[in-house]
Amino acid sequence: MVWDLFCRVVDNFGDVGVCWRLAAGLAARGESVRLWIDDASALTWMAPRGTEGVQPLLWADAEHAEPADTVIEAFGCDPPSAFIARMARRTAAPVWINLEYLSAEAYVERSHGLQSPQFSGPGAGLNKWFFYPGFNARTGGLLRGTSAPPCPEHWLAQHGWARQAQEQVVVLFCYDTTALPDLLQQLAAQPTLLLAAPGPAQQALSQIRPPTGVRTIALPWLAQTEFDQLLHCTDLNLVRGEDSFVQAQWPGVPFIWQLYPQADGAHAAKLEAFLDRFLSLTEFVDGPALRQAWRAWNGLGAWPERLPPRAAWQQAATAWRDSLRRQPDLITQLQSFVAERR
């Protein structure tokens, strides 16, 4: 089956990261994907070799294209009006899906799978379906991404990122934040190798002096498959947005999520909803310290006196990962969802 996937790149590469992972995952299962994207520049490093079955195309060229069997708009980015009009003229209408943002909030379970009949505009007569990723069986699941193995002993060293004796390895992938100096003090409680992703993380580190015990290395832009493997080779992953947040949950190692800050404070409710679910399922005994650390990293409070103990945190992250593995992944659910509506 042919799938049309529409992606608008707002900023920070999160949109294209999710869309490329979805497209590549569909292609790996024998589907054919046309990825309509308004800015494909990030794919030069994110997916330098491309993948068979995925054809990146200019968004503007969709104005003249014939719609495929399934049309997905990522995060509410409506396809061009002329394209939607041709969807409505098809004898067999495409299955039209809005792939929504990820959240653990209660509305996701209520909204997943709902339809929105189109009564006016170029798509009049069509149905649009809402597909919500999520963390339990009442949602659309999560993208599994690359099947990265446990980290080979030599993998970090091969890349020039070998840890020294007693060092913990921490990935730092973040937005602009004033919380970085305090984070570094927390990490300095034990020898740390901090691997900083390009962008705000490296820019901020270039303007401050890390405390004794924190050694930093600036990472290059990594292909999505390489970044996935890196997340399996660390002791703590500080990630941002949606795609890296989801992928940081698969290694079963501690992670802290920095949400995209929203002016109305909606990110705070989203943070609390996820932590409520995580702490309830894992029964993590040091939950208050973990919640305080997540809030602090997101500019929503003060840091705890210390980060949670590593062994217990690791155990909780592994239990959380194992619970997610027992649920159908997003692509499996998406294929079934589409098949039932064709």
Side-chain angles (χ1 to χ4, degrees):
M1 190 165 61
V2 179
W3 301 60
D4 281 317
L5 174 56
F6 284 85
C7 176
R8 281 199 181 276
V9 181
V10 179
D11 58 11
N12 298 310
F13 314 117
D15 301 305
V16 64
V18 170
C19 290
W20 180 260
R21 194 178 295 280
L22 173 59
L26 286 167
R29 303 190 190 196
E31 309 285 7
S32 178
V33 183
R34 299 189 300 184
L35 176 59
W36 303 97
I37 187 167
D38 62 343
D39 181 1
S41 58
L43 294 180
T44 59
W45 53 265
M46 189 178 291
R49 292 178 293 277
T51 192
E52 185 177 357
V54 179
Q55 184 182 15
L57 297 166
L58 294 174
W59 178 286
D61 290 345
E63 292 278 356
H64 311 290
E66 288 300 320
D69 309 302
T70 302
V71 176
I72 300 176
E73 58 181 57
F75 315 124
C77 65
D78 291 320
S81 296
F83 187 91
I84 296 174
R86 284 192 292 275
M87 289 167 58
R89 291 198 295 267
R90 275 187 46 148
T91 302
V95 180
W96 185 7
I97 293 172
N98 179 14
L99 177 66
E100 279 286 355
Y101 289 102
L102 174 67
S103 177
E105 294 168 283
Y107 76 85
V108 168
E109 297 173 18
R110 299 193 301 268
S111 305
H112 175 60
L114 296 182
Q115 61 179 316
S116 174
Q118 305 295 295
F119 296 113
S120 60
L126 295 174
N127 277 323
K128 183 190 295 190
W129 301 88
F130 291 90
F131 194 95
Y132 280 83
F135 302 97
N136 62 26
R138 294 183 293 278
T139 68
L142 300 173
L143 285 167
R144 295 283 172 90
T146 306
S147 298
C151 187
E153 284 285 328
H154 59 280
W155 193 85
L156 287 172
Q158 282 182 332
H159 289 74
W161 311 326
R163 73 173 80 210
Q164 296 176 0
Q166 307 303 316
E167 278 186 335
Q168 63 173 345
V169 179
V170 179
V171 161
L172 177 64
F173 184 40
C174 64
Y175 303 117
D176 289 325
T177 175
T178 60
L180 184 56
D182 290 332
L183 169 71
L184 296 177
Q185 291 296 331
Q186 294 275 339
L187 296 178
Q190 72 176 90
T192 298
L193 170 59
L194 186 65
L195 302 177
Q202 292 183 12
Q203 293 165 11
L205 283 171
S206 70
Q207 299 173 26
I208 59 178
R209 184 176 182 177
T212 301
V214 176
R215 184 168 63 98
T216 65
I217 293 179
L219 296 172
W221 288 115
L222 296 176
Q224 203 169 62
T225 53
E226 288 277 285
F227 187 76
D228 291 353
Q229 180 65 78
L230 175 62
L231 295 176
H232 284 72
C233 295
T234 56
D235 302 294
L236 171 63
N237 291 313
L238 293 128
V239 289
R240 73 183 199 190
E242 182 168 322
D243 184 60
S244 61
F245 169 50
V246 171
Q247 298 313 308
Q249 295 172 59
W250 299 122
V253 302
F255 60 92
I256 299 179
W257 180 27
Q258 185 188 21
L259 292 80
Y260 188 79
Q262 295 173 274
D264 61 359
H267 61 295
K270 185 179 288 190
L271 181 150
E272 299 296 340
F274 176 80
L275 285 175
D276 287 345
R277 191 177 298 272
F278 179 90
L279 295 174
S280 174
L281 186 143
T282 61
E283 299 180 347
F284 185 32
V285 295
D286 214 6
L290 182 67
R291 191 183 295 271
Q292 195 173 347
W294 278 49
R295 288 173 176 169
W297 185 231
N298 283 275
L300 299 171
W303 286 90
E305 291 184 3
R306 54 169 178 78
L307 292 176
R310 179 57 49 79
W313 195 356
Q314 173 86 43
Q315 185 177 9
T318 301
W320 175 255
R321 185 270 313 278
D322 292 346
S323 75
L324 296 178
R325 282 181 172 175
R326 291 191 288 270
Q327 301 167 20
D329 67 280
L330 186 144
I331 292 179
T332 296
Q333 294 200 54
L334 186 60
Q335 288 179 305
S336 297
F337 189 88
V338 168
E340 291 169 0
R341 287 157 182 78
R342 284 186 55 78

